[in-house]
Amino acid sequence: MSVFVDENTKVVYQGLTGSQGRFYGKLNREYGTQVVAGTNPKKAGEEVDGVPIFANVGAAVRATGANASCIFIPAPGVRDAVIDAAEGGVKFIVVITEGVPAHDEAWFYNKLRRDFPDVRLLGPNCPGIISPGKANIGITAGHIAKPGGPVGIVSRSGTLTYQALYELQQKDIGVTTCVGIGGDPVPGTSFIDCLRAFEADPETKAVMMFGEIGGSAEEEAAAFVKSSMTKPVVSYIAGVTAPPGKKMGHAGAIVSGGKGTAAAKMDALRDAGVKVGLNPTEAGELMAGIVAAF
Amino acid sequence: MDLFEYQGKQFFARYGIPVSDGDAVATVGQAVATAERIGYPVVVKAQVQVGGRGKAGGIKLASNAEEAREHASNILGMDIKGHRVDIVWIERASDIAEEYYASFTLDRAAKLHLGMLSAQGGVEIEEVAATDPDAIAKIHVDPVDGLTEVQCRAWVAAANLNPAATEGAVDILTKLYTAYAEGDADLVEINPLILTPDGRVHALDAKVSLDDNSVFRHPDYEVYDATQVRDAREQMAHERDLQYVGLDGSVGIIANGAGLAMSTVDIVSQVGGKPANFLDIGGGANADVMAGALEVIHSDRNVRSIFINIFGGITKGEEVANGIVQALERVALDAPIVIRLDGTNAEAGREILAPRLSDKLQMQPTMLEAARTAVELARDEAAQAAGTRSLSAAESTIQGAKGGAR
């Protein structure tokens, strides 16, 4: 099995008529993803590479039965696009777009939480999600992911997500689902959401989690692992030697407290029983050791 | 982007938040003229984006033109923790009865906005948070609803301000939230927020950080971008649209993606090297981007070797390799380069690079091996440079001795 998306997921691409949307929409379709529709209010009735274009997500859902959307719309339009997708009736929304203002993210995150509680948002500013062999929604290169499990991957950074997939592929280890949650201030899907899904997925036997400095998402994930996970978790945190980022003034320092540094995150993870690698390769080796023992 | 105090006060003023009458000036003459216009006493405040300027002598009170001239000439050009003062803010001095603290920022864990208000302002708020956390009244604001008046009143009441400050505080905090939300700020902070003896509430300082991603709806923010504090290397990278953070080591680093770039900095440190920088060239790696990145690295005189770490996802290996080859034709480099190229079509990319490999351009199969090689090369280069220096020192000694003999 896989989490969040599989071969039955039907995806509408918001922004399929743009250069990025068209390029990745085509790659995703070639991978085997059910790319059933695109949206563009000015081009409804047209087609892009054989995929029908609708005025909005609601129309696409009615005509094609789409149940997920992938957003490639430029940052200024993302806020409206997310609401269009939720009102249109899809239950899974992936926002690839980077550069979305933090206030927009906070707004649509809370709007969904309140008015569309059964809709899952992934991103913004993320590489997307791939359930190898079944569906690839976003900008991940499909061939670096080996299908089949037993490992689930969740990662904050795009290229490190690829690196994680690659490390496992090099060791001939398959992946159930790889989720790139993105590094923005208000990610729609958190580490914990993914850990919970992997814990519940019978085919996922272990989880690889790649984090990075800043915020407290990794510490929260560590607490979840400690309290609620039975499956082994391997982690790597990027930014061990990074100098402190730009000061966010006193208010930011208080919010983060002692959290946010790589050392604090690794300590929290180790304390929760997570095996922590000091670089992606070491994390891959730790995972290989775990998988070999299954 | 972080604003200077004077920019923050001008930003606040646009939203109707009361700030002192004042002006930002760059010369002593303008400082005196502004002080004369406003009327004494005035405060002369150094404009630097670093804390502790008061202790460093960067904030002075002037009661007449003589003093305004003296303070302005002392403070302009002053160095405060490595920041040179180019601008001073002259404002009307305020009578202070009480000092408070107020701010809004995003609480990433709660995914809501967070307001903080304290009757203990004017001091380091971290200290208050550490020693007396109950002295800070916190409020979570849902971005969909915004800050309601009922909510704001309850918050002000919880902070136990002087009752005389209640109405003024509610008014300012409501406007401060509007400035924060409509202005797309990452942070708005007033410390101190003051109550004057005649009962007015007033922002005596302004710390504002704006979201770079919001510039598309605030075209006027470009003026703030122009005054951001960057060192020469960072400015060069900024002009080339590269994500760059200068460090003080000798191994220059180029990677695609922030996470991989951070990871590269880590791994260079782990094998005993010192990274010279963090440089993320983003998704693509064409010749223009790569040449720009190499130019920035080249401008750093501490760099002894360069580690290019590329993982091709959608970006194909041959495009990356061609980008590197073309960039090297355009940028003349002294430092040796080590490349690690993996991912999509990496093999094709390596084939393109193979005939060009030399002592100065090496390739390694993994991140770890590439990092080790780059660190060794940096050491060799450093040793050679030191050797050259001691040799020339020896030569000059010999020549000096000859001169003495003659």
Side-chain angles (χ1 to χ4, degrees):
Chain A
M1 266 173 62
S2 45
V3 305
F4 303 142
V5 299
D6 59 24
E7 64 274 26
N8 298 316
T9 308
K10 293 181 176 175
V11 195
V12 48
Y13 283 63
Q14 295 170 262
L16 191 70
T17 51
S19 64
Q20 295 272 303
R22 182 172 185 167
F23 179 74
Y24 292 110
K26 192 158 176 282
L27 281 184
N28 289 173
R29 193 153 65 124
E30 284 164 7
Y31 187 80
T33 312
Q34 290 202 50
V35 179
V36 296
T39 61
N40 183 331
K42 292 181 194 132
K43 297 187 176 171
E46 296 179 18
E47 285 190 352
V48 170
D49 299 323
V51 178
I53 303 299
F54 297 88
N56 54 50
V57 173
V61 167
R62 285 189 293 278
T64 66
N67 54 10
S69 104
C70 183
I71 295 177
F72 275 100
I73 287 174
V78 166
R79 181 177 147 144
D80 289 345
V82 168
I83 298 308
D84 178 37
E87 287 177 345
V90 299
K91 300 299 175 203
F92 191 70
I93 305 170
V94 181
V95 184
I96 304 299
T97 312
E98 65 178 322
V100 178
H103 280 268
D104 286 3
E105 295 182 9
W107 184 86
F108 59 67
Y109 178 88
N110 284 285
K111 181 77 177 165
L112 293 183
R113 176 152 71 177
R114 180 190 304 187
D115 296 341
F116 304 92
D118 57 341
V119 171
R120 171 165 300 289
L121 176 72
L122 177 62
N125 191 18
C126 76
I129 179 169
I130 176 168
S131 291
K134 297 173 180 170
N136 183 10
I137 304 172
I139 61 175
T140 305
H143 62 87
I144 56 170
K146 182 179 156 62
V151 177
I153 298 176
V154 54
S155 166
R156 244 166 97 176
S157 134
T159 34
L160 276 183
T161 309
Y162 311 153
Q163 186 70 37
L165 280 166
Y166 187 71
E167 295 289 350
L168 294 185
Q169 191 196 45
Q170 293 298 296
K171 294 175 171 59
D172 205 32
I173 298 172
V175 172
T176 51
T177 299
C178 173
V179 194
I181 60 174
D184 271 9
V186 193
T189 291
S190 67
F191 279 126
I192 293 176
D193 295 328
C194 298
L195 293 172
R196 187 178 286 125
F198 285 133
E199 176 71 15
D201 174 37
E203 273 181 28
T204 302
K205 308 286 187 209
V207 181
M208 183 124 113
M209 174 182 138
F210 276 20
E212 61 191 46
I213 51 168
S216 58
E218 289 80 1
E219 286 89 337
E220 290 150 25
F224 178 82
V225 170
K226 197 170 186 176
S227 68
S228 313
M229 280 198 76
T230 58
K231 298 175 181 176
V233 179
V234 169
S235 187
Y236 163 66
I237 304 295
V240 180
T241 49
K246 271 204 170 170
K247 256 191 152 177
M248 287 286 293
H250 300 305
I254 292 174
V255 173
S256 57
K259 296 176 176 179
T261 66
K265 288 173 189 297
M266 291 193 291
D267 284 349
L269 288 163
R270 285 195 191 103
D271 182 54
V274 173
K275 285 194 167 27
V276 180
L278 290 178
N279 54 62
T281 306
E282 202 177 298
E285 282 160 4
L286 289 170
M287 183 54 85
I290 288 173
V291 171
F294 285 150
Chain B
M1 40 198 158
D2 299 331
L3 304 197
F4 287 99
E5 175 195 1
Y6 74 93
Q7 294 170 326
K9 284 185 170 167
Q10 289 161 354
F11 176 81
F12 281 174
R14 275 199 258 157
Y15 291 92
I17 296 167
V19 294
S20 308
D21 183 19
D23 224 336
V25 298
T27 67
V28 175
Q30 289 169 334
V32 176
T34 301
E36 292 283 318
R37 176 181 69 75
I38 292 170
Y40 299 98
V42 297
V43 188
V44 182
K45 303 178 85 174
Q47 297 298 293
V48 283
Q49 289 174 354
V50 59
R53 62 192 166 145
K55 281 181 193 156
I59 302 178
K60 293 283 183 188
L61 190 68
S63 322
N64 53 51
E66 186 95 350
E67 288 177 10
R69 180 179 306 280
E70 186 192 335
H71 295 324
S73 59
N74 284 340
I75 294 173
L76 278 167
M78 178 185 269
D79 185 279
I80 300 178
K81 297 181 185 168
H83 295 244
R84 196 185 65 192
V85 182
D86 293 324
I87 292 171
V88 289
W89 169 257
I90 312 285
E91 74 175 18
R92 180 70 192 240
S94 299
D95 290 326
I96 300 171
E98 293 187 9
E99 294 185 298
Y100 308 136
Y101 169 94
S103 69
F104 284 104
T105 189
L106 175 71
D107 181 346
R108 289 169 63 152
K111 297 179 163 76
L112 294 166
H113 299 309
L114 174 70
M116 289 194 275
L117 180 63
S118 176
Q120 297 181 27
V123 293
E124 294 281 333
I125 197 70
E126 281 103 331
E127 265 173 47
V128 180
T131 57
D132 189 7
D134 292 341
I136 301 174
K138 295 183 181 177
I139 184 177
H140 275 122
V141 183
D142 187 320
V144 181
D145 299 324
L147 178 68
T148 64
E149 197 193 330
V150 173
Q151 222 185 352
C152 188
R153 285 192 178 278
W155 180 34
V156 170
N160 286 319
L161 309 184
N162 186 321
T166 301
E167 290 309 314
V170 168
D171 180 56
I172 282 198
L173 293 168
T174 304
K175 288 169 176 164
L176 187 64
Y177 181 80
T178 304
Y180 169 71
E182 287 181 11
D184 275 298
D186 290 333
L187 167 75
V188 289
E189 183 178 78
I190 307 175
N191 189 21
L193 174 72
I194 61 162
L195 172 67
T196 62
D198 57 357
R200 287 175 302 118
V201 181
H202 182 105
L204 205 57
D205 195 7
K207 183 174 266 178
V208 176
S209 183
L210 301 172
D211 182 356
D212 297 286
N213 288 340
S214 74
V215 175
F216 67 80
R217 58 185 168 219
H218 305 286
D220 52 318
Y221 286 1
E222 272 172 32
V223 60
Y224 301 132
D225 183 68
T227 58
Q228 289 301 294
V229 180
R230 301 184 180 99
D231 72 18
R233 297 175 297 171
E234 286 170 350
Q235 183 61 34
M236 202 172 164
H238 180 72
E239 284 162 9
R240 287 163 177 74
D241 251 344
L242 299 165
Q243 298 301 315
Y244 180 95
V245 179
L247 303 169
D248 52 9
S250 57
V251 181
I253 287 166
I254 297 174
N256 64 332
L260 190 64
M262 248 193 285
S263 192
T264 310
V265 170
D266 287 351
I267 212 159
V268 164
S269 307
Q270 280 164 17
V271 298
K274 287 202 165 64
N277 64 276
F278 160 102
L279 200 168
D280 168 18
I281 57 170
N286 63 38
D288 285 343
V289 173
M290 192 56 81
L294 287 171
E295 278 164 13
V296 174
I297 302 266
H298 183 57
S299 74
D300 183 344
R301 295 176 60 184
N302 292 326
V303 169
R304 296 274 175 259
S305 71
I306 300 170
F307 178 7
I308 301 179
N309 188 9
I310 304 291
F311 192 97
I314 295 299
T315 312
K316 295 186 177 67
E318 58 266 38
E319 290 167 22
V320 177
N322 283 326
I324 293 172
V325 170
Q326 288 167 30
L328 287 174
E329 281 163 7
R330 283 155 53 179
V331 188
L333 292 167
D334 312 319
I337 297 174
V338 184
I339 300 168
R340 174 261 182 164
L341 179 59
D342 252 330
T344 309
N345 295 5
E347 208 47 56
R350 290 185 199 130
E351 273 168 31
I352 291 169
L353 290 166
R356 292 173 173 81
L357 296 180
S358 68
D359 288 354
K360 289 281 188 189
L361 185 67
Q362 304 191 26
M363 195 154 49
Q364 291 290 344
T366 68
M367 237 169 115
L368 198 60
E369 284 162 88
R372 284 200 183 107
T373 307
V375 170
E376 276 163 27
L377 286 170
R379 277 204 198 103
D380 293 350
E381 292 281 317
Q384 249 177 37
T388 316
R389 264 201 301 280
S390 58
L391 192 65
S392 53
E395 273 171 0
S396 60
T397 310
I398 292 166
Q399 278 167 4
K402 279 181 186 165
R406 196 168 33 198

